[in-house]
Amino acid sequence: MKQIVNQYLELLSLSGIESIKKPAKIEVPELTPAEKEHLLQQKRIEYSDCDMCQLHLGRTNFVYGNGDSNSKLMLIGEGPGEQEDKTGDVFVGVAGQLLTKMLTAINLNRDDVYICNIVKCRPPANRNPLPDEVKACSSYIQEQIEIIKPEFILLLGRVAAHNILKTTSPLSQLRGKTYKLDDIQVVVSYHPSALLRNSSFKKPAWVDLQRLRDMMQPNED
Ligand code: URA
């Protein structure tokens, strides 16, 4: 095995590739709120020229994530759209505006939660990210979860649900339940873009949000 790895490294070196850029999987120790924020800012800069998949070829911005790195709630969407690619910020387009309203409806300000996506660069014409693109990006989201250590994660849509929960079950079967990712309670709902396309999803999405609100505030009505 070691010989094969050495041969591969030699081949890369002969092709002019001297290093492989891959974010190290870090065990994040207990951090103060300020340290968490600082670490995420560092990571955002460090990864901003990522070229680990073909999506980097068409991007304007690497869209890492926004919000409160000390929030107890983390939201995970699919990938940046046109507006997010332009600005470098997550969920700022039409779907993002709806997401802001959905959060407000359960008394959350979007600045008080942390929001990010499964892939950090915009897929062409907003197509679903391909499996190798998701794989190339997966260490970023794992690391964000490890740094933020939220108490709750809301997975928005099929791409987020399938990749974080490692399942292929339909979204309709995944919602309404609580999953555990280490100590984190994970719930699934529709992606705001799905609500914009099909208003029949609005009612179940509202049920999901209310359930999340109740989980986060177990002692309040
Ligand atoms: N859709 C997503 O999944 N993420 C965004 O940031 C914007 C739209």
Side-chain angles (χ1 to χ4, degrees), residues 103-160:
L103 289 170
T104 308
I106 53 165
N107 304 321
L108 289 172
N109 182 323
R110 68 171 276 158
D111 294 335
D112 296 337
V113 303
Y114 190 86
I115 314 178
C116 60
N117 286 310
I118 291 288
V119 294
K120 312 301 189 197
C121 298
R122 183 189 182 202
N126 301 339
R127 65 154 167 75
N128 284 350
L130 302 174
D132 63 320
E133 295 160 355
V134 170
K135 195 168 168 208
C137 230
S138 66
S139 54
Y140 295 136
I141 189 81
Q142 293 306 337
E143 192 180 60
Q144 282 170 304
I145 294 171
E146 282 172 39
I147 294 173
I148 293 164
K149 291 192 181 17
E151 285 175 44
F152 303 92
I153 291 181
L154 172 61
L155 299 173
L156 296 166
R158 189 175 55 81
V159 170

Side-chain angles (χ1 to χ4, degrees), residues 63 76-82 84 89-93 95-96 115-119 156 191-193:
V63 183
I76 305 179
E78 180 176 320
E82 188 179 6
E84 291 77 20
D89 294 323
V90 285
F91 278 101
V92 289
I115 314 178
C116 60
N117 286 310
I118 291 288
V119 294
L156 296 166
H191 191 286
S193 301

